Amino acid sequence: MLTLTQVLNKSAARLSGLHPAVLAAATALIERSYACGVPILITQGLRTIAEQDALYAQGRTKAGAVVTNARGGYSYHNYGLAVDFALLLPNGSSVSWDMNRDGDHDGTADWLEVVQQAKAIGFEWGGDWTSFKDYPHFQMSFGLRLADLRTGKKPAAAAVEAVYERMNQKEVQAVKGQMNVAVKVNGKKITEGCLANGVTHVPVRSVAEALGARVVYNFATQTVEITTADQKGGSV
């Protein structure tokens, strides 16, 4: 299992150039998603005007499918106010954009868990847009339109402070309600979980497989089924 430090390091290069408040929010999103059992990778942060124009040309004057309706200067990425993400798979080198994936087998799609965390931090989600939906996209506009940003306007100090306050309130609540714990089987650490309000939450697959059981998620009944060795003929 990847550690939080490893997961953070994988996104570090793509966080460069972001507005400081967006950088803090993106880092918090990685941390909170990880605590939910969903490691993520930030796949895009700051995008230059030239990079945006090249992306806009894809599917128009260049080969490939159309991936954006925004020309250079018409995306919050161009001002360090947006990030894109993908689900980081267990091998630590592959990612997924499968919005139905439930890698932590908790009955909730991993993608939705990340979106919930992002909105709690204060991000706007591209999946809520009515025209061109952008499901991997999160942004913070700070009340500014793209037309404002193109004229050189910067986020107001009060708007930036509101983002930090929102994150700090969430962190205080998290510290009061939960703490990270190591999960060991026969003295060997197998995974990490969290203790929240007196209840310990751990990835069921890691624990079950360490005990020689098999875990299957039944999509039809939305049930996590654990089969012990004595019930499956002693074979895993």
Side-chain angles (χ1 to χ4, degrees), residues 183-218:
V183 180
K184 296 182 178 181
V185 172
N186 297 326
K188 179 181 179 181
K189 180 180 177 180
I190 59 166
T191 188
E192 293 181 349
C194 67
L195 180 63
N197 299 319
V199 178
T200 302
H201 302 268
V202 298
V204 64
R205 181 177 297 277
S206 299
V207 175
E209 291 183 347
L211 295 172
R214 182 177 62 191
V215 179
V216 176
Y217 180 67
N218 188 319

PDB file of all heavy atoms in Angstrom, residues 183-218:
ATOM      1  N   VAL A 183      -2.916  -0.726  11.352  1.00  0.00           N
ATOM      2  CA  VAL A 183      -3.656  -1.984  11.509  1.00  0.00           C
ATOM      3  C   VAL A 183      -2.669  -3.137  11.362  1.00  0.00           C
ATOM      4  O   VAL A 183      -1.993  -3.253  10.333  1.00  0.00           O
ATOM      5  CB  VAL A 183      -4.773  -2.105  10.456  1.00  0.00           C
ATOM      6  CG1 VAL A 183      -5.526  -3.420  10.640  1.00  0.00           C
ATOM      7  CG2 VAL A 183      -5.734  -0.925  10.566  1.00  0.00           C
ATOM      8  N   LYS A 184      -2.571  -3.967  12.389  1.00  0.00           N
ATOM      9  CA  LYS A 184      -1.645  -5.094  12.377  1.00  0.00           C
ATOM     10  C   LYS A 184      -2.401  -6.421  12.499  1.00  0.00           C
ATOM     11  O   LYS A 184      -3.414  -6.502  13.180  1.00  0.00           O
ATOM     12  CB  LYS A 184      -0.651  -4.982  13.538  1.00  0.00           C
ATOM     13  CG  LYS A 184       0.267  -3.765  13.469  1.00  0.00           C
ATOM     14  CD  LYS A 184       1.250  -3.753  14.637  1.00  0.00           C
ATOM     15  CE  LYS A 184       2.198  -2.560  14.548  1.00  0.00           C
ATOM     16  NZ  LYS A 184       3.169  -2.556  15.671  1.00  0.00           N
ATOM     17  N   VAL A 185      -1.895  -7.434  11.840  1.00  0.00           N
ATOM     18  CA  VAL A 185      -2.401  -8.802  11.967  1.00  0.00           C
ATOM     19  C   VAL A 185      -1.235  -9.670  12.410  1.00  0.00           C
ATOM     20  O   VAL A 185      -0.213  -9.736  11.725  1.00  0.00           O
ATOM     21  CB  VAL A 185      -2.992  -9.325  10.637  1.00  0.00           C
ATOM     22  CG1 VAL A 185      -3.331 -10.805  10.755  1.00  0.00           C
ATOM     23  CG2 VAL A 185      -4.240  -8.530  10.266  1.00  0.00           C
ATOM     24  N   ASN A 186      -1.365 -10.271  13.577  1.00  0.00           N
ATOM     25  CA  ASN A 186      -0.294 -11.084  14.152  1.00  0.00           C
ATOM     26  C   ASN A 186       1.014 -10.300  14.262  1.00  0.00           C
ATOM     27  O   ASN A 186       2.097 -10.808  13.989  1.00  0.00           O
ATOM     28  CB  ASN A 186      -0.083 -12.361  13.324  1.00  0.00           C
ATOM     29  CG  ASN A 186      -1.304 -13.260  13.338  1.00  0.00           C
ATOM     30  OD1 ASN A 186      -2.018 -13.339  14.337  1.00  0.00           O
ATOM     31  ND2 ASN A 186      -1.555 -13.934  12.227  1.00  0.00           N
ATOM     32  N   GLY A 187       0.892  -9.038  14.647  1.00  0.00           N
ATOM     33  CA  GLY A 187       2.062  -8.204  14.876  1.00  0.00           C
ATOM     34  C   GLY A 187       2.647  -7.552  13.650  1.00  0.00           C
ATOM     35  O   GLY A 187       3.575  -6.745  13.758  1.00  0.00           O
ATOM     36  N   LYS A 188       2.109  -7.841  12.457  1.00  0.00           N
ATOM     37  CA  LYS A 188       2.641  -7.270  11.220  1.00  0.00           C
ATOM     38  C   LYS A 188       1.673  -6.223  10.680  1.00  0.00           C
ATOM     39  O   LYS A 188       0.495  -6.498  10.492  1.00  0.00           O
ATOM     40  CB  LYS A 188       2.848  -8.367  10.172  1.00  0.00           C
ATOM     41  CG  LYS A 188       3.386  -7.842   8.847  1.00  0.00           C
ATOM     42  CD  LYS A 188       3.545  -8.970   7.833  1.00  0.00           C
ATOM     43  CE  LYS A 188       4.060  -8.435   6.502  1.00  0.00           C
ATOM     44  NZ  LYS A 188       4.197  -9.534   5.495  1.00  0.00           N
ATOM     45  N   LYS A 189       2.209  -5.024  10.432  1.00  0.00           N
ATOM     46  CA  LYS A 189       1.358  -3.968   9.894  1.00  0.00           C
ATOM     47  C   LYS A 189       0.961  -4.307   8.464  1.00  0.00           C
ATOM     48  O   LYS A 189       1.800  -4.611   7.620  1.00  0.00           O
ATOM     49  CB  LYS A 189       2.087  -2.615   9.913  1.00  0.00           C
ATOM     50  CG  LYS A 189       1.249  -1.472   9.350  1.00  0.00           C
ATOM     51  CD  LYS A 189       1.997  -0.143   9.391  1.00  0.00           C
ATOM     52  CE  LYS A 189       1.176   0.963   8.751  1.00  0.00           C
ATOM     53  NZ  LYS A 189       1.877   2.270   8.771  1.00  0.00           N
ATOM     54  N   ILE A 190      -0.350  -4.250   8.189  1.00  0.00           N
ATOM     55  CA  ILE A 190      -0.829  -4.577   6.852  1.00  0.00           C
ATOM     56  C   ILE A 190      -1.446  -3.388   6.128  1.00  0.00           C
ATOM     57  O   ILE A 190      -1.519  -3.366   4.902  1.00  0.00           O
ATOM     58  CB  ILE A 190      -1.863  -5.727   6.903  1.00  0.00           C
ATOM     59  CG1 ILE A 190      -3.046  -5.326   7.790  1.00  0.00           C
ATOM     60  CG2 ILE A 190      -1.224  -7.023   7.363  1.00  0.00           C
ATOM     61  CD1 ILE A 190      -4.244  -6.234   7.637  1.00  0.00           C
ATOM     62  N   THR A 191      -1.909  -2.392   6.873  1.00  0.00           N
ATOM     63  CA  THR A 191      -2.528  -1.232   6.252  1.00  0.00           C
ATOM     64  C   THR A 191      -2.689  -0.135   7.285  1.00  0.00           C
ATOM     65  O   THR A 191      -2.243  -0.282   8.424  1.00  0.00           O
ATOM     66  CB  THR A 191      -3.901  -1.602   5.643  1.00  0.00           C
ATOM     67  OG1 THR A 191      -4.409  -0.499   4.886  1.00  0.00           O
ATOM     68  CG2 THR A 191      -4.900  -1.966   6.723  1.00  0.00           C
ATOM     69  N   GLU A 192      -3.317   0.953   6.883  1.00  0.00           N
ATOM     70  CA  GLU A 192      -3.636   2.049   7.785  1.00  0.00           C
ATOM     71  C   GLU A 192      -5.129   2.320   7.749  1.00  0.00           C
ATOM     72  O   GLU A 192      -5.794   2.092   6.734  1.00  0.00           O
ATOM     73  CB  GLU A 192      -2.876   3.320   7.396  1.00  0.00           C
ATOM     74  CG  GLU A 192      -1.377   3.218   7.584  1.00  0.00           C
ATOM     75  CD  GLU A 192      -0.667   4.512   7.220  1.00  0.00           C
ATOM     76  OE1 GLU A 192      -1.327   5.393   6.639  1.00  0.00           O
ATOM     77  OE2 GLU A 192       0.530   4.633   7.516  1.00  0.00           O
ATOM     78  N   GLY A 193      -5.653   2.791   8.863  1.00  0.00           N
ATOM     79  CA  GLY A 193      -7.062   3.147   8.943  1.00  0.00           C
ATOM     80  C   GLY A 193      -7.201   4.409   9.750  1.00  0.00           C
ATOM     81  O   GLY A 193      -6.215   5.094  10.027  1.00  0.00           O
ATOM     82  N   CYS A 194      -8.414   4.734  10.126  1.00  0.00           N
ATOM     83  CA  CYS A 194      -8.606   5.913  10.962  1.00  0.00           C
ATOM     84  C   CYS A 194      -9.645   5.628  12.029  1.00  0.00           C
ATOM     85  O   CYS A 194     -10.577   4.853  11.826  1.00  0.00           O
ATOM     86  CB  CYS A 194      -9.005   7.125  10.123  1.00  0.00           C
ATOM     87  SG  CYS A 194     -10.619   7.000   9.348  1.00  0.00           S
ATOM     88  N   LEU A 195      -9.442   6.229  13.181  1.00  0.00           N
ATOM     89  CA  LEU A 195     -10.360   6.111  14.301  1.00  0.00           C
ATOM     90  C   LEU A 195     -11.170   7.391  14.349  1.00  0.00           C
ATOM     91  O   LEU A 195     -10.631   8.478  14.554  1.00  0.00           O
ATOM     92  CB  LEU A 195      -9.580   5.924  15.603  1.00  0.00           C
ATOM     93  CG  LEU A 195     -10.416   5.792  16.886  1.00  0.00           C
ATOM     94  CD1 LEU A 195     -11.287   4.548  16.824  1.00  0.00           C
ATOM     95  CD2 LEU A 195      -9.499   5.732  18.106  1.00  0.00           C
ATOM     96  N   ALA A 196     -12.466   7.280  14.100  1.00  0.00           N
ATOM     97  CA  ALA A 196     -13.333   8.455  14.061  1.00  0.00           C
ATOM     98  C   ALA A 196     -14.517   8.252  14.987  1.00  0.00           C
ATOM     99  O   ALA A 196     -15.302   7.311  14.809  1.00  0.00           O
ATOM    100  CB  ALA A 196     -13.817   8.716  12.632  1.00  0.00           C
ATOM    101  N   ASN A 197     -14.626   9.125  15.979  1.00  0.00           N
ATOM    102  CA  ASN A 197     -15.758   9.082  16.908  1.00  0.00           C
ATOM    103  C   ASN A 197     -15.955   7.699  17.527  1.00  0.00           C
ATOM    104  O   ASN A 197     -17.076   7.207  17.647  1.00  0.00           O
ATOM    105  CB  ASN A 197     -17.034   9.530  16.188  1.00  0.00           C
ATOM    106  CG  ASN A 197     -16.934  10.945  15.671  1.00  0.00           C
ATOM    107  OD1 ASN A 197     -16.401  11.820  16.347  1.00  0.00           O
ATOM    108  ND2 ASN A 197     -17.419  11.178  14.456  1.00  0.00           N
ATOM    109  N   GLY A 198     -14.839   7.072  17.869  1.00  0.00           N
ATOM    110  CA  GLY A 198     -14.910   5.788  18.547  1.00  0.00           C
ATOM    111  C   GLY A 198     -15.038   4.585  17.641  1.00  0.00           C
ATOM    112  O   GLY A 198     -15.085   3.448  18.106  1.00  0.00           O
ATOM    113  N   VAL A 199     -15.075   4.808  16.331  1.00  0.00           N
ATOM    114  CA  VAL A 199     -15.212   3.704  15.367  1.00  0.00           C
ATOM    115  C   VAL A 199     -13.962   3.650  14.498  1.00  0.00           C
ATOM    116  O   VAL A 199     -13.537   4.667  13.951  1.00  0.00           O
ATOM    117  CB  VAL A 199     -16.460   3.889  14.476  1.00  0.00           C
ATOM    118  CG1 VAL A 199     -16.556   2.757  13.464  1.00  0.00           C
ATOM    119  CG2 VAL A 199     -17.711   3.960  15.326  1.00  0.00           C
ATOM    120  N   THR A 200     -13.374   2.456  14.369  1.00  0.00           N
ATOM    121  CA  THR A 200     -12.181   2.278  13.554  1.00  0.00           C
ATOM    122  C   THR A 200     -12.585   1.883  12.138  1.00  0.00           C
ATOM    123  O   THR A 200     -13.301   0.895  11.944  1.00  0.00           O
ATOM    124  CB  THR A 200     -11.258   1.205  14.146  1.00  0.00           C
ATOM    125  OG1 THR A 200     -10.907   1.578  15.476  1.00  0.00           O
ATOM    126  CG2 THR A 200      -9.987   1.081  13.309  1.00  0.00           C
ATOM    127  N   HIS A 201     -12.116   2.649  11.132  1.00  0.00           N
ATOM    128  CA  HIS A 201     -12.418   2.371   9.731  1.00  0.00           C
ATOM    129  C   HIS A 201     -11.147   1.873   9.056  1.00  0.00           C
ATOM    130  O   HIS A 201     -10.111   2.543   9.098  1.00  0.00           O
ATOM    131  CB  HIS A 201     -12.912   3.642   9.042  1.00  0.00           C
ATOM    132  CG  HIS A 201     -14.126   4.254   9.677  1.00  0.00           C
ATOM    133  ND1 HIS A 201     -15.406   3.950   9.283  1.00  0.00           N
ATOM    134  CD2 HIS A 201     -14.244   5.144  10.705  1.00  0.00           C
ATOM    135  CE1 HIS A 201     -16.278   4.634  10.017  1.00  0.00           C
ATOM    136  NE2 HIS A 201     -15.585   5.362  10.888  1.00  0.00           N
ATOM    137  N   VAL A 202     -11.227   0.699   8.440  1.00  0.00           N
ATOM    138  CA  VAL A 202     -10.072   0.125   7.758  1.00  0.00           C
ATOM    139  C   VAL A 202     -10.510  -0.456   6.420  1.00  0.00           C
ATOM    140  O   VAL A 202     -11.682  -0.810   6.239  1.00  0.00           O
ATOM    141  CB  VAL A 202      -9.418  -0.996   8.605  1.00  0.00           C
ATOM    142  CG1 VAL A 202      -8.894  -0.458   9.913  1.00  0.00           C
ATOM    143  CG2 VAL A 202     -10.393  -2.137   8.849  1.00  0.00           C
ATOM    144  N   PRO A 203      -9.583  -0.561   5.435  1.00  0.00           N
ATOM    145  CA  PRO A 203      -9.908  -1.194   4.154  1.00  0.00           C
ATOM    146  C   PRO A 203     -10.203  -2.680   4.371  1.00  0.00           C
ATOM    147  O   PRO A 203      -9.329  -3.429   4.811  1.00  0.00           O
ATOM    148  CB  PRO A 203      -8.638  -0.999   3.327  1.00  0.00           C
ATOM    149  CG  PRO A 203      -7.921   0.130   3.993  1.00  0.00           C
ATOM    150  CD  PRO A 203      -8.227  -0.006   5.447  1.00  0.00           C
ATOM    151  N   VAL A 204     -11.414  -3.099   4.094  1.00  0.00           N
ATOM    152  CA  VAL A 204     -11.831  -4.461   4.414  1.00  0.00           C
ATOM    153  C   VAL A 204     -11.014  -5.501   3.656  1.00  0.00           C
ATOM    154  O   VAL A 204     -10.690  -6.571   4.191  1.00  0.00           O
ATOM    155  CB  VAL A 204     -13.345  -4.649   4.130  1.00  0.00           C
ATOM    156  CG1 VAL A 204     -13.647  -4.484   2.660  1.00  0.00           C
ATOM    157  CG2 VAL A 204     -13.822  -6.010   4.629  1.00  0.00           C
ATOM    158  N   ARG A 205     -10.637  -5.205   2.405  1.00  0.00           N
ATOM    159  CA  ARG A 205      -9.889  -6.194   1.625  1.00  0.00           C
ATOM    160  C   ARG A 205      -8.528  -6.495   2.250  1.00  0.00           C
ATOM    161  O   ARG A 205      -8.120  -7.654   2.350  1.00  0.00           O
ATOM    162  CB  ARG A 205      -9.723  -5.717   0.182  1.00  0.00           C
ATOM    163  CG  ARG A 205      -8.958  -6.705  -0.706  1.00  0.00           C
ATOM    164  CD  ARG A 205      -8.889  -6.225  -2.143  1.00  0.00           C
ATOM    165  NE  ARG A 205     -10.216  -6.134  -2.734  1.00  0.00           N
ATOM    166  CZ  ARG A 205     -10.861  -7.183  -3.275  1.00  0.00           C
ATOM    167  NH1 ARG A 205     -10.296  -8.373  -3.276  1.00  0.00           N
ATOM    168  NH2 ARG A 205     -12.042  -7.020  -3.800  1.00  0.00           N
ATOM    169  N   SER A 206      -7.828  -5.450   2.677  1.00  0.00           N
ATOM    170  CA  SER A 206      -6.498  -5.654   3.260  1.00  0.00           C
ATOM    171  C   SER A 206      -6.554  -6.541   4.485  1.00  0.00           C
ATOM    172  O   SER A 206      -5.749  -7.457   4.662  1.00  0.00           O
ATOM    173  CB  SER A 206      -5.881  -4.296   3.632  1.00  0.00           C
ATOM    174  OG  SER A 206      -5.723  -3.490   2.500  1.00  0.00           O
ATOM    175  N   VAL A 207      -7.536  -6.284   5.352  1.00  0.00           N
ATOM    176  CA  VAL A 207      -7.659  -7.063   6.586  1.00  0.00           C
ATOM    177  C   VAL A 207      -8.086  -8.491   6.285  1.00  0.00           C
ATOM    178  O   VAL A 207      -7.516  -9.457   6.802  1.00  0.00           O
ATOM    179  CB  VAL A 207      -8.652  -6.392   7.547  1.00  0.00           C
ATOM    180  CG1 VAL A 207      -8.861  -7.267   8.781  1.00  0.00           C
ATOM    181  CG2 VAL A 207      -8.156  -5.011   7.962  1.00  0.00           C
ATOM    182  N   ALA A 208      -9.099  -8.641   5.443  1.00  0.00           N
ATOM    183  CA  ALA A 208      -9.624  -9.970   5.148  1.00  0.00           C
ATOM    184  C   ALA A 208      -8.566 -10.853   4.489  1.00  0.00           C
ATOM    185  O   ALA A 208      -8.388 -12.022   4.875  1.00  0.00           O
ATOM    186  CB  ALA A 208     -10.855  -9.859   4.253  1.00  0.00           C
ATOM    187  N   GLU A 209      -7.856 -10.314   3.510  1.00  0.00           N
ATOM    188  CA  GLU A 209      -6.860 -11.117   2.815  1.00  0.00           C
ATOM    189  C   GLU A 209      -5.683 -11.466   3.720  1.00  0.00           C
ATOM    190  O   GLU A 209      -5.081 -12.533   3.589  1.00  0.00           O
ATOM    191  CB  GLU A 209      -6.378 -10.385   1.569  1.00  0.00           C
ATOM    192  CG  GLU A 209      -7.469 -10.292   0.494  1.00  0.00           C
ATOM    193  CD  GLU A 209      -6.997  -9.621  -0.783  1.00  0.00           C
ATOM    194  OE1 GLU A 209      -5.907  -9.014  -0.757  1.00  0.00           O
ATOM    195  OE2 GLU A 209      -7.726  -9.698  -1.791  1.00  0.00           O
ATOM    196  N   ALA A 210      -5.376 -10.586   4.674  1.00  0.00           N
ATOM    197  CA  ALA A 210      -4.317 -10.898   5.634  1.00  0.00           C
ATOM    198  C   ALA A 210      -4.723 -12.054   6.536  1.00  0.00           C
ATOM    199  O   ALA A 210      -3.878 -12.763   7.094  1.00  0.00           O
ATOM    200  CB  ALA A 210      -4.006  -9.666   6.482  1.00  0.00           C
ATOM    201  N   LEU A 211      -6.027 -12.259   6.685  1.00  0.00           N
ATOM    202  CA  LEU A 211      -6.549 -13.355   7.507  1.00  0.00           C
ATOM    203  C   LEU A 211      -6.894 -14.588   6.665  1.00  0.00           C
ATOM    204  O   LEU A 211      -7.490 -15.535   7.170  1.00  0.00           O
ATOM    205  CB  LEU A 211      -7.800 -12.882   8.266  1.00  0.00           C
ATOM    206  CG  LEU A 211      -7.555 -11.769   9.299  1.00  0.00           C
ATOM    207  CD1 LEU A 211      -8.886 -11.258   9.843  1.00  0.00           C
ATOM    208  CD2 LEU A 211      -6.689 -12.285  10.443  1.00  0.00           C
ATOM    209  N   GLY A 212      -6.521 -14.541   5.375  1.00  0.00           N
ATOM    210  CA  GLY A 212      -6.739 -15.693   4.517  1.00  0.00           C
ATOM    211  C   GLY A 212      -8.123 -15.783   3.932  1.00  0.00           C
ATOM    212  O   GLY A 212      -8.537 -16.839   3.439  1.00  0.00           O
ATOM    213  N   ALA A 213      -8.876 -14.693   3.962  1.00  0.00           N
ATOM    214  CA  ALA A 213     -10.228 -14.701   3.415  1.00  0.00           C
ATOM    215  C   ALA A 213     -10.247 -14.033   2.043  1.00  0.00           C
ATOM    216  O   ALA A 213      -9.304 -13.339   1.660  1.00  0.00           O
ATOM    217  CB  ALA A 213     -11.184 -13.987   4.362  1.00  0.00           C
ATOM    218  N   ARG A 214     -11.324 -14.244   1.321  1.00  0.00           N
ATOM    219  CA  ARG A 214     -11.492 -13.648   0.000  1.00  0.00           C
ATOM    220  C   ARG A 214     -12.612 -12.616   0.072  1.00  0.00           C
ATOM    221  O   ARG A 214     -13.646 -12.838   0.715  1.00  0.00           O
ATOM    222  CB  ARG A 214     -11.846 -14.718  -1.031  1.00  0.00           C
ATOM    223  CG  ARG A 214     -12.003 -14.194  -2.457  1.00  0.00           C
ATOM    224  CD  ARG A 214     -12.287 -15.325  -3.430  1.00  0.00           C
ATOM    225  NE  ARG A 214     -13.534 -16.001  -3.099  1.00  0.00           N
ATOM    226  CZ  ARG A 214     -13.932 -17.160  -3.637  1.00  0.00           C
ATOM    227  NH1 ARG A 214     -13.148 -17.778  -4.477  1.00  0.00           N
ATOM    228  NH2 ARG A 214     -15.084 -17.687  -3.293  1.00  0.00           N
ATOM    229  N   VAL A 215     -12.393 -11.478  -0.604  1.00  0.00           N
ATOM    230  CA  VAL A 215     -13.383 -10.404  -0.586  1.00  0.00           C
ATOM    231  C   VAL A 215     -13.901 -10.166  -2.001  1.00  0.00           C
ATOM    232  O   VAL A 215     -13.123 -10.058  -2.950  1.00  0.00           O
ATOM    233  CB  VAL A 215     -12.770  -9.097  -0.038  1.00  0.00           C
ATOM    234  CG1 VAL A 215     -13.811  -7.979  -0.049  1.00  0.00           C
ATOM    235  CG2 VAL A 215     -12.247  -9.309   1.360  1.00  0.00           C
ATOM    236  N   VAL A 216     -15.209 -10.109  -2.128  1.00  0.00           N
ATOM    237  CA  VAL A 216     -15.844  -9.828  -3.418  1.00  0.00           C
ATOM    238  C   VAL A 216     -16.937  -8.798  -3.192  1.00  0.00           C
ATOM    239  O   VAL A 216     -17.696  -8.890  -2.218  1.00  0.00           O
ATOM    240  CB  VAL A 216     -16.458 -11.101  -4.045  1.00  0.00           C
ATOM    241  CG1 VAL A 216     -17.198 -10.748  -5.328  1.00  0.00           C
ATOM    242  CG2 VAL A 216     -15.378 -12.127  -4.325  1.00  0.00           C
ATOM    243  N   TYR A 217     -16.988  -7.792  -4.093  1.00  0.00           N
ATOM    244  CA  TYR A 217     -18.077  -6.819  -3.996  1.00  0.00           C
ATOM    245  C   TYR A 217     -19.167  -7.215  -4.979  1.00  0.00           C
ATOM    246  O   TYR A 217     -18.924  -7.350  -6.182  1.00  0.00           O
ATOM    247  CB  TYR A 217     -17.583  -5.408  -4.308  1.00  0.00           C
ATOM    248  CG  TYR A 217     -18.684  -4.372  -4.229  1.00  0.00           C
ATOM    249  CD1 TYR A 217     -19.285  -4.070  -3.014  1.00  0.00           C
ATOM    250  CD2 TYR A 217     -19.132  -3.723  -5.372  1.00  0.00           C
ATOM    251  CE1 TYR A 217     -20.298  -3.133  -2.928  1.00  0.00           C
ATOM    252  CE2 TYR A 217     -20.155  -2.792  -5.296  1.00  0.00           C
ATOM    253  CZ  TYR A 217     -20.735  -2.494  -4.073  1.00  0.00           C
ATOM    254  OH  TYR A 217     -21.749  -1.578  -3.999  1.00  0.00           O
ATOM    255  N   ASN A 218     -20.380  -7.438  -4.467  1.00  0.00           N
ATOM    256  CA  ASN A 218     -21.522  -7.815  -5.281  1.00  0.00           C
ATOM    257  C   ASN A 218     -22.251  -6.543  -5.700  1.00  0.00           C
ATOM    258  O   ASN A 218     -22.930  -5.908  -4.889  1.00  0.00           O
ATOM    259  CB  ASN A 218     -22.454  -8.737  -4.482  1.00  0.00           C
ATOM    260  CG  ASN A 218     -23.560  -9.329  -5.344  1.00  0.00           C
ATOM    261  OD1 ASN A 218     -24.138  -8.642  -6.175  1.00  0.00           O
ATOM    262  ND2 ASN A 218     -23.863 -10.606  -5.113  1.00  0.00           N
TER     263      ASN A 218
END
